[in-house]
Amino acid sequence: MATALCPGSFDPVTNGHIDIISRTARHFDDVIVAVIRNPQKAQSLFTLEERQEMLREVTSHLPNVRIDFFMGLLVEFAKDHGANAIVKGLRAVSDFDYELQMAQMNQQLSGIDTFFISTSPQYSFLSSSLVREVAKYGGDVSSMVPPTVAKRLDERFKA
Ligand code: PNS
């Protein structure tokens, strides 16, 4: 069984994430989407439970994908869950330096390799932080996130 781990903050999940998760699901028997409990970034917009719930909703059509969460080191979670690989999306060269550094650190710590999937070009500008910013100021994010996420963003910023 080849199990892949797709880690991230997913605050919130975007169409770019779904692109990477669904393409990963074609190549591995099992995919665990691992949501970090406490993102290092500024306070998250959505709670861990909300981020997981949205991911469950938007991946429910993918039978070999499950949603979980982790705290601390990703490689410890990977070892505990029998994951053989970490899979990340690369949007642009600006992602590369940090992703390479993390991949090498994770390899050094655990022997687990990271595989990169190139983001589909239509999503290469997308990030959760920009989606949050656009939604906060009332911009239209309906082409960037699934409808259920757009609805939650709307509700969050209306409140
Ligand atoms: O969606 P993000 O915020 O870009 O995801 C970053 C994430 C969660 C994948 C990364 O910060 C991470 O793996 N954090 C876990 C802590 C860890 O294992 N650090 C050492 C890796 S070099």
Side-chain angles (χ1 to χ4, degrees):
M1 283 285 276
T3 300
L5 210 53
C6 290
S9 311
F10 303 103
D11 187 33
V13 58
T14 68
N15 289 342
H17 292 128
I18 298 168
D19 173 46
I20 298 299
I21 294 166
S22 52
R23 287 160 65 199
T24 302
R26 285 189 223 140
H27 298 284
F28 288 84
D29 300 306
D30 259 328
V31 178
I32 306 173
V33 178
V35 184
I36 191 161
R37 182 171 193 157
N38 298 316
Q40 279 179 338
K41 302 163 191 170
Q43 259 201 337
S44 55
L45 177 64
F46 292 103
T47 65
L48 172 66
E49 289 70 26
E50 289 169 327
R51 287 179 278 141
Q52 290 190 101
E53 210 172 287
M54 285 185 270
L55 276 160
R56 287 202 182 95
E57 285 166 10
V58 302
T59 60
S60 60
H61 61 294
L62 299 168
N64 59 338
V65 172
R66 64 181 193 273
I67 314 300
D68 207 331
F69 74 94
F70 73 104
M71 304 162 61
L73 286 180
L74 177 65
V75 292
E76 292 303 324
F77 177 90
K79 281 191 270 182
D80 290 348
H81 291 76
N84 325 83
I86 296 165
V87 178
K88 297 279 197 83
L90 275 186
R91 287 168 296 196
V93 72
S94 49
D95 281 341
F96 185 73
D97 282 350
Y98 187 48
E99 289 296 345
L100 178 67
Q101 198 180 8
M102 283 199 286
Q104 290 170 328
M105 177 60 86
N106 286 333
Q107 217 283 335
Q108 175 75 26
L109 288 172
S110 66
I112 297 174
D113 283 317
T114 297
F115 294 81
F116 293 109
I117 294 185
S118 56
T119 296
S120 297
Q122 68 268 34
Y123 303 127
S124 61
F125 67 96
L126 253 187
S127 69
S128 296
S129 56
L130 277 185
V131 164
R132 289 197 303 272
E133 186 168 315
V134 171
K136 181 177 171 185
Y137 295 113
D140 180 8
V141 293
S142 59
S143 64
M144 303 167 202
V145 294
T148 178
V149 176
K151 186 166 167 275
R152 281 176 193 248
L153 281 164
D154 201 39
E155 285 164 4
R156 184 59 39 103
F157 287 119
K158 253 197 242 155

